[in-house]
């Protein structure tokens, strides 16, 4: 388990938007064979934008996100991320599985980023209280994760990332394991928190509905080797409510258009 | 209660069965765990009294208890216990702390692991007590050599358990730490050590067991006190009852150590209460 972080991603050259991905590629060797996970990915993300990336499983979505999170280095191309406030962390990632530390109370989990940065305790308390409340975790401060349901753990995971106050949030199918009701609730809560904080969000999902509900723009990825294939503007008015949106005929039509594209990738035709 | 007939099954709430206190006692776990040793001891006593068992090797439990009470009255037994316990505890600290440090270091760094682990693994199969003569040559025959040999025994148990614990930490937690820009030291403190704690406790448990074995043997040399010394001494003067008292005391000490460790574990690992991860 390497602690060494790949030193790649951030470049001081000013990108056009918040994130600028240029000709990005990633390959790795699996035994004898060389696997290309990503190839020729180009993407501009504006500050404060909420984008969703959908793609068939195994297309390298997560790899792309891990590169943005500085957890992995690309083997080709570059990513430029502009830094607006050197005092706050650049990005925080919300992982697919439950990544909440089982050995910390919910409060300490949510406070994790702030504690690492030695933020004064009063400020930690204020921020943590605020985001625990927004994420619907009131009253669970001193509980341990094993006492909570999967949905609550994922709320804590969201609260942990938001209270770290990063410029960019990277979300890797954070709600994939949740049941429908919890998913809809958390999506709405995420949108509410996001509208309050105006962070840039890169959200990965395999659910077209989820992408349409949340984002300003949906990017469709091809199957392996993954590359961005198409982009759809999603301009439903905000604030959005999940089931109001799903009742909108344009929602269904847009969803079908994306599915037609994805279908080719999933079936390989 | 389930009543089943040809055309229906009726499931109703159980009646509150009020069992008699005696039958409840007979069914309790505590009773079962005490009953079987008592039966064995009674049988033993009977066999010795009936001259079916050689009292020179297997003295009657009653005579051992009398001897135990004598030693308690004279206070000698407490002096022996105090010395043995202090040797075990000092040696355990001496071994557990470096075991923990090395385990965490190697667990998180594949490079260090590659260089150091082969050496440690090569030493591991040596029966620890076989090193005792060497340890006595280096540290003398006094208490220091006993602390050191106990320390060596404990070190390996704690080291390997900690290493396994750290290596087994779900990689996602390290990714989170890395994503949150935790420093190396912060990663040790917030991820590696708490994540490995359940394993570390297993190591301590095994280590304390080893410590007791080693200390009892080591107390044969260069000392006039300790439970181990008492056992060896009673062998030399053929005072078998004292030997049995020693064995009882050692067993009791082992039991107490495990009990203390369990208490400590519950206090230190509150997230393990429900048996989840």
């Amino acid at each position: 388990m390497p602690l060494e972080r790949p030193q790649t991603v951030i470049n001081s050259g000013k990108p056009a938007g918040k994130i600028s991905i240029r000709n990005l590629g990633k390959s790795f060797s699996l035994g004898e064979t060389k696997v290309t996970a990503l190839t020729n990915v180009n993407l501009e993300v504006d500050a404060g934008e909420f984008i969703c990336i959908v793609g068939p499983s195994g297309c390298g979505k997560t790899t792309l996100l891990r590169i943005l999170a500085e957890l992995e280095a690309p083997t080709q191309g570059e990513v430029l991320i502009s830094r607006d406030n050197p005092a706050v962390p650049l990005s925080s990632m919300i992982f697919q599985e439950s990544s909440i530390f089982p050995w910390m109370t919910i409060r300490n989990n949510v406070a994790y980023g702030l504690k690492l940065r030695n933020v004064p305790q009063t400020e930690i308390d204020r921020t943590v209280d605020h985001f625990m409340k927004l994420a619907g975790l009131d009253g669970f401060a001193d509980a341990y994760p094993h006492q909570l349901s999967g949905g609550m753990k994922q709320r804590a995971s969201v609260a942990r990332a938001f209270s770290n106050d990063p410029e960019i949030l990277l979300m890797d199918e954070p709600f994939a394991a949740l049941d429908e009701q919890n998913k809809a609730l958390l999506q709405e809560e995420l949108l509410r928190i996001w509208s309050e904080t105006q962070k840039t969000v890169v959200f990965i999902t395999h659910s077209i509905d989820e992408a349409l509900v949340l984002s300003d723009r949906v990017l469709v990825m091809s199957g392996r080797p993954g590359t961005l294939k198409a982009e759809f503007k999603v301009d439903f008015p905000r604030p959005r409510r999940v089931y109001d949106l799903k009742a909108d005929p344009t929602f269904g039509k847009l969803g079908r258009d994306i599915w037609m594209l994805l279908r080719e990738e999933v079936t390989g035709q | 209660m389930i009543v089943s007939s040809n055309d229906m099954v009726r499931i109703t709430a159980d009646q509150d069965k009020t069992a008699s206190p005696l039958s409840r006692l007979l069914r309790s776990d505590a009773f079962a765990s005490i009953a079987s040793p008592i039966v064995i001891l009674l049988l033993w006593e009977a066999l010795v009294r009936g001259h079916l068992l050689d009292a020179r090797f297997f003295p009657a439990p009653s005579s051992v208890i009398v001897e135990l009470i004598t030693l308690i009255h004279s206070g000698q037994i407490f002096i022996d216990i105090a010395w043995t316990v202090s040797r075990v505890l000092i040696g355990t600290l001496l071994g557990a702390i470096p075991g923990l440090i090395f385990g965490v270091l190697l667990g998180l760094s594949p490079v260090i692991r590659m260089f150091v682990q082969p050496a440690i693994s090569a030493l591991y199969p040596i029966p620890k007590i076989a090193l005792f003569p060497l340890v006595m040559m280096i540290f003398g025959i006094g208490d220091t050599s006993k602390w050191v040999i106990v320390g060596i025994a404990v070190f390996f148990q704690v080291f390997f358990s900690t290493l396994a614990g750290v290596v087994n930490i779900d990689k996602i937690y390290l990714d989170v730490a890395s994503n949150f820009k935790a420093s190396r030291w912060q990663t040790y403190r917030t991820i590696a050590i708490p994540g490995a704690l359940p394993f570390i406790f297993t190591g301590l448990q095994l280590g304390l067991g080893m410590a007791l074995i080693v200390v009892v043997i080591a107390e044969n040399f260069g000392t006039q006190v300790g439970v181990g010394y008492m056992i060896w001494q009673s062998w030399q003067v053929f005072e078998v009852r004292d030997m049995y008292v020693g064995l009882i005391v050692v067993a009791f000490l082992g039991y107490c150590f495990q009990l203390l460790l369990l208490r400590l574990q519950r206090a230190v690992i509150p997230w393990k209460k429900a048996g989840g991860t």
Side-chain angles (χ1 to χ4, degrees):
Chain A
M1 263 160 274
L3 273 180
E4 297 80 17
R5 285 185 197 111
Q7 290 293 323
T8 46
V9 197
I10 298 140
N11 196 308
S12 51
K14 274 283 165 194
K18 181 74 185 163
I19 306 172
S20 188
I21 303 174
R22 296 171 188 167
N23 296 320
L24 195 77
K26 169 83 180 174
S27 49
F28 50 91
S29 36
L30 237 159
E32 295 288 288
T33 51
K34 195 176 159 203
V35 179
T36 306
L38 291 171
T39 181
N40 218 8
V41 178
N42 286 286
L43 178 64
E44 299 286 327
V45 185
D46 288 334
E49 199 181 4
F50 196 133
I51 67 154
C52 277
I53 300 176
V54 294
S57 55
C59 73
K61 305 184 291 269
T62 298
T63 308
L64 178 59
L65 208 64
R66 288 177 64 87
I67 292 174
L68 294 179
E70 299 168 66
L71 290 171
E72 273 174 50
T75 47
Q76 263 179 5
E78 61 176 357
V79 179
L80 305 174
I81 303 175
S82 74
R83 202 183 251 293
D84 298 325
N85 180 0
V88 302
L90 191 57
S91 70
S92 293
M93 183 148 166
I94 299 173
F95 293 82
Q96 200 168 359
E97 318 99 279
S98 168
S99 64
I100 287 293
F101 303 126
W103 49 86
M104 290 183 198
T105 59
I106 297 304
R107 162 169 285 278
N108 284 336
N109 262 294
V110 175
Y112 187 63
L114 300 170
K115 282 194 167 172
L116 290 185
R117 301 210 301 279
N118 294 317
V119 172
Q121 190 60 44
T122 50
E123 205 185 317
I124 293 182
D125 288 342
R126 202 156 33 91
T127 314
V128 168
D129 285 342
H130 176 67
F131 283 106
M132 296 238 307
K133 197 170 178 143
L134 277 183
L137 287 165
D138 267 349
F140 290 98
D142 298 319
Y144 281 95
H146 76 257
Q147 298 165 306
L148 267 58
S149 68
M152 292 305 256
K153 282 189 228 179
Q154 214 49 324
R155 283 165 197 266
S157 189
V158 172
R160 178 173 66 184
F162 270 98
S163 59
N164 195 32
D165 195 24
E167 294 186 23
I168 299 168
L169 274 167
L170 304 168
M171 307 184 71
D172 185 11
E173 304 195 29
F175 308 141
L178 301 184
D179 60 88
E180 276 309 311
Q181 292 94 330
N182 258 311
K183 192 184 287 187
L185 279 175
L186 272 176
Q187 285 166 346
E188 282 179 4
E189 264 154 43
L190 172 63
L191 286 177
R192 215 181 55 233
I193 306 175
W194 171 71
S195 68
E196 236 184 54
T197 54
Q198 290 303 325
K199 295 187 185 304
T200 310
V201 181
V202 179
F203 190 108
I204 277 178
T205 178
H206 61 255
S207 157
I208 297 169
D209 281 7
E210 183 168 63
L212 290 176
V213 164
L214 295 174
S215 70
D216 297 322
R217 194 151 53 111
V218 177
L219 293 126
V220 181
M221 263 181 107
S222 69
R224 178 169 287 175
T227 188
L228 294 174
K229 199 176 156 180
E231 114 174 18
F232 293 82
K233 270 266 173 228
V234 184
D235 34 23
F236 298 114
R238 291 182 192 274
R240 296 173 181 172
R241 297 190 63 87
V242 173
Y243 279 92
D244 291 350
L245 219 56
K246 287 187 176 177
D248 189 324
T250 7
F251 184 93
K253 196 184 157 302
L254 208 48
R256 192 193 58 197
D257 290 349
I258 296 174
W259 167 239
M260 296 310 275
L261 258 180
L262 260 181
R263 193 188 155 107
E264 292 168 25
E265 298 303 328
V266 178
T267 56
Q269 299 163 2
Chain B
M1 186 166 61
I2 301 174
V3 181
S4 166
S5 64
N6 280 338
D7 57 346
M8 68 183 294
V9 174
R10 174 187 289 253
I11 302 171
T12 52
D14 271 338
Q15 306 264 303
D16 234 357
K17 278 196 214 116
T18 37
S20 74
L22 182 67
S23 84
R24 239 185 303 162
L25 176 72
L26 286 173
R27 285 158 191 265
S28 72
D29 288 345
F31 177 77
S33 64
I34 293 171
S36 70
I38 287 183
V39 169
I40 291 172
L41 289 177
L42 287 176
L43 195 67
W44 180 349
E45 184 82 29
L47 288 173
V48 174
R49 301 234 169 155
H51 299 288
L52 292 165
L53 209 57
D54 192 336
R56 286 175 305 166
F57 307 128
F58 306 101
S62 58
S63 70
V64 175
I65 290 167
V66 169
E67 182 66 17
L68 178 63
I69 291 168
T70 317
L71 287 171
I72 288 173
H73 268 299
S74 74
Q76 181 58 39
I77 193 94
F78 297 114
I79 295 170
D80 287 326
I81 290 175
W83 276 92
T84 300
V85 167
S86 81
R87 284 164 184 153
V88 166
L89 291 186
I90 292 170
T92 299
L93 279 181
L94 223 54
I97 291 167
L100 186 78
I101 292 172
F102 273 86
V104 171
L105 274 177
L106 267 66
L108 280 185
S109 168
V111 181
I112 306 181
R113 188 153 74 230
M114 212 161 64
F115 278 102
V116 182
Q117 198 179 359
I120 297 182
S121 297
L123 292 175
Y124 178 59
I126 300 175
K128 304 304 160 281
I129 204 66
L131 293 170
F132 194 46
L134 179 66
V135 170
M136 281 195 291
M137 266 183 347
I138 299 171
F139 295 98
I141 58 167
D143 271 348
T144 314
S145 58
K146 290 172 188 63
W147 300 337
V148 170
I149 195 68
V150 169
I152 290 172
V154 172
F155 168 83
F156 283 97
Q157 300 293 348
V158 172
F159 166 76
F160 281 110
S161 301
T162 307
L163 179 63
V166 174
V167 170
N168 274 304
I169 290 174
D170 202 330
K171 197 176 172 302
I172 196 165
Y173 300 130
L174 292 167
D175 280 345
V176 175
S178 170
N179 183 238
F180 278 78
K181 302 280 184 272
S183 67
R184 191 167 272 268
W185 167 243
Q186 284 173 328
T187 307
Y188 290 154
R189 196 168 49 79
T190 62
I191 314 290
I193 294 178
L197 263 185
F199 278 76
I200 293 171
F201 267 95
T202 308
L204 277 176
Q205 209 177 344
L206 296 171
L208 271 174
M210 282 292 274
L212 261 185
I213 296 173
V214 168
V215 86
V216 165
I217 301 175
E219 280 177 344
N220 190 22
F221 306 94
T223 182
Q224 305 284 316
V225 278
V227 182
Y229 169 77
M230 178 182 165
I231 294 172
W232 290 107
Q233 178 63 19
S234 55
W235 168 66
Q236 293 204 326
V237 301
F238 214 78
E239 179 50 77
V240 187
R241 286 173 311 163
D242 276 358
M243 196 183 285
Y244 276 86
V245 171
L247 294 178
I248 291 170
V249 169
V250 168
F252 181 70
L253 283 182
Y255 177 73
C256 289
F257 284 145
Q258 301 302 341
L259 216 61
L260 274 175
L261 216 52
L262 207 66
R263 280 280 161 84
L264 193 64
Q265 184 171 10
R266 286 203 186 126
V268 177
I269 317 185
W271 63 91
K272 269 281 175 185
K273 253 180 209 154
T277 44

